[in-house]
Amino acid sequence: MTDPSSPLSPAATHGDAADRWLGVRGTRWLAVASLLGLIVLGLAWELWLAPLREGGSWWAIKVLPLTVPLAGLLKNRMYTYRWVSLLVWLYFTEGAVRATTESGISMWLAVVEVLLCIALFVACALHVRMRLRAAGKEAVAADVASATAAAASRP
């Protein structure tokens, strides 16, 4: 549950905090919807719409890495938003290559993949930015300190 006095709370009725809460909530759901869209598109593309081989393709397993961050996005974990914004570029690259090298329905599916990737990246980047801004300087400093400590503990 969110603290009613928090700027991210739905109970926050003053303009700036309410707008910030709506922005954070909107970017969260845009990220989840874009990720689900990429999963559904990838499966439909490789199994039914335009598979590389008739009857479906094993390339459908390319969506498996996309299923991993779904729980983290639904649980609103900041770390997940950060690494998904990096993972999505692999799918963007695939979409860009296939959009420029294929024709017919595969080309259009690739264009949709590129658009979903851009939406997911923008949603994740804005979500992280808005949450850090809403949390304040102390939270950003704590976040930087924990990231530094984690990096120092790695071999």
Side-chain angles (χ1 to χ4, degrees), residues 1-25:
M1 297 293 300
T2 307
D3 177 16
S5 63
S6 166
L8 298 179
S9 162
T13 55
H14 55 291
D16 191 35
D19 290 344
R20 221 179 287 144
W21 182 81
L22 289 173
V24 168
R25 186 174 175 203

Side-chain angles (χ1 to χ4, degrees), residues 35 55 111:
L35 184 63
V111 169

Side-chain angles (χ1 to χ4, degrees), residues 21-42:
W21 182 81
L22 289 173
V24 168
R25 186 174 175 203
T27 56
R28 176 183 181 199
W29 290 113
L30 177 60
V32 170
S34 300
L35 184 63
L36 284 172
L38 280 171
I39 292 169
V40 170
L41 175 71

Side-chain angles (χ1 to χ4, degrees), residues 32 48 60 70 80 101 150:
V32 170
W48 302 290
L70 190 56
T80 305
T101 59

Side-chain angles (χ1 to χ4, degrees), residues 30-153:
L30 177 60
V32 170
S34 300
L35 184 63
L36 284 172
L38 280 171
I39 292 169
V40 170
L41 175 71
L43 288 173
W45 187 349
E46 298 299 347
L47 294 177
W48 302 290
L49 299 175
L52 292 174
R53 293 193 173 107
E54 192 171 323
S57 166
W58 279 98
W59 277 106
I61 63 172
K62 72 182 178 186
V63 301
L64 284 178
L66 292 173
T67 62
V68 174
L70 190 56
L73 291 183
L74 290 172
K75 292 178 182 176
N76 211 18
R77 293 191 173 144
M78 181 77 88
Y79 183 75
T80 305
Y81 285 92
R82 289 178 173 166
W83 71 262
V84 167
S85 68
L86 300 174
L87 173 71
V88 72
W89 291 110
L90 294 172
Y91 296 88
F92 174 86
T93 303
E94 181 212 14
V97 168
R98 290 182 79 172
T100 57
T101 59
E102 295 187 15
S103 60
I105 191 168
S106 288
M107 180 192 69
W108 291 109
L109 293 170
V111 169
V112 171
E113 181 178 30
V114 166
L115 294 174
L116 285 170
C117 288
I118 291 170
L120 179 57
F121 175 77
V122 169
C124 287
L126 287 175
H127 185 83
V128 168
R129 183 180 177 140
M130 287 179 189
R131 278 183 60 188
L132 288 177
R133 184 172 286 157
K137 291 180 182 178
E138 297 82 18
V140 173
D143 187 51
V144 168
S146 69
T148 304
S153 67

